[in-house]
Amino acid sequence: MAWKSGVDLAQLKSLWQRCNAYLARHPAALFWAIVFLPALPIPTSALLFTAGVVWRERPVMACLLCLLAMALNLSWTYWVAARPGRGWVEKFLATGSFRIPDLPRGDHLKLILIMRLTPGFPFFVQNYVLGFMRPPFFLYLPVSLLCSGVIGTGIVLSGVGLADGKLMPALTGISLIVVGAVFTHLVRGWLAKRKNGGVKAETL
C-alpha cells in the first residue's frame, strides 16, 4: 500500500538503508528491540531477520545475540504475567468463589509444548499465557528457547545469506527452519497420541 500514499520503491530503499546504517552503528538498539518489542503484537521473525541483515558480517555473533535477547524476552514476560499479572486477576476474583486452578505437575511440559508448537498463537500471547499459568520457570525457559530458538536461528541465518548473497548461510538457515517445522510436527503427533491414549484409558 506504500505507493498509494505517494511513497515509491526508491524512497523505501533509502529509508531502509538509513535504518540499516543506524542499527549497524547502534547494535544495542536492535538487541533491546528484540528483548522488548516481541512483548507487543510485533512479528518476532521480522526483528530476527533484520538482525541477520544488519549483523551479517558476524553471523555467529548475530545468532548468539538473538538467542540471548529471546531468552531475556521469554524471562521478563513470564515474570510480569506470573507475578503482577496473575496477582491482579486473583484480587479481582477474590470477591467471588472462582479460583484460578493450579496445573498438575504432569501437565507442565505438555502445556509449554502445546503453546509453543500449536500454530496460531502469537509469540507474545504464548509468553503471557504460560507466565500466567506458572509452569516452573526452569522448565519453561529451556523448553521455550529450544522450541523458538531453532527456527529463530534459521531466520537470522536466512537474513545473513540473503543480505550478502551467500548460499551457505541461507541454506543453513532454511535447513534449521525445516528442522524446526519437522520437530514441531513430531512433537504435536506425540502429544496427540498421548491425548488419545489417555482418552482410551478413561473409556476402559
Side-chain angles (χ1 to χ4, degrees):
M1 298 297 179
W3 61 88
K4 292 185 178 180
S5 60
V7 179
D8 58 23
L9 185 60
Q11 290 174 310
L12 289 174
K13 184 177 180 181
S14 175
L15 177 62
W16 164 247
Q17 288 174 340
R18 291 198 299 270
C19 180
N20 183 81
Y22 174 83
L23 293 174
R25 292 194 306 270
H26 303 87
L30 182 53
F31 175 83
W32 290 113
I34 299 172
V35 172
F36 290 108
L37 292 184
L40 304 172
I42 295 175
T44 308
S45 56
L47 294 169
L48 296 175
F49 187 86
T50 300
V53 173
V54 173
W55 296 332
R56 59 187 176 273
E57 294 181 1
R58 302 180 67 182
V60 175
M61 181 206 72
C63 293
L64 292 176
L65 284 177
C66 286
L67 286 173
L68 175 59
M70 290 177 68
L72 291 174
N73 175 266
L74 290 166
S75 299
W76 79 262
T77 50
Y78 173 95
W79 288 113
V80 164
R83 296 301 185 190
R86 180 157 171 153
W88 293 333
V89 174
E90 288 176 336
K91 286 181 181 178
F92 176 76
L93 296 174
T95 55
S97 59
F98 182 78
R99 295 292 182 270
I100 301 171
D102 290 324
L103 279 177
R105 180 180 294 272
D107 289 343
H108 291 154
L109 178 60
K110 186 188 300 184
L111 175 67
I112 297 169
L113 292 174
I114 289 173
M115 289 301 301
R116 293 300 178 196
L117 302 179
T118 301
F121 292 116
F123 188 66
F124 73 100
V125 172
Q126 298 173 22
N127 293 356
Y128 291 137
V129 169
L130 288 171
F132 187 83
M133 296 307 296
R134 291 181 180 173
F137 179 75
F138 290 106
L139 175 65
Y140 157 86
L141 183 59
V143 174
S144 295
L145 193 58
L146 174 63
C147 293
S148 304
V150 174
I151 292 179
T153 301
I155 293 171
V156 175
L157 291 176
S158 297
V160 171
L162 291 176
D164 264 353
K166 294 179 179 178
L167 187 60
M168 186 55 67
L171 286 178
T172 303
I174 293 171
S175 298
L176 285 174
I177 293 172
V178 171
V179 168
V182 171
F183 172 76
T184 297
H185 178 75
L186 292 174
V187 174
R188 287 173 61 195
W190 174 72
L191 289 172
K193 287 181 180 178
R194 286 196 62 183
K195 181 179 179 181
N196 293 335
V199 170
K200 289 180 181 178
E202 289 177 3
T203 57
L204 293 176

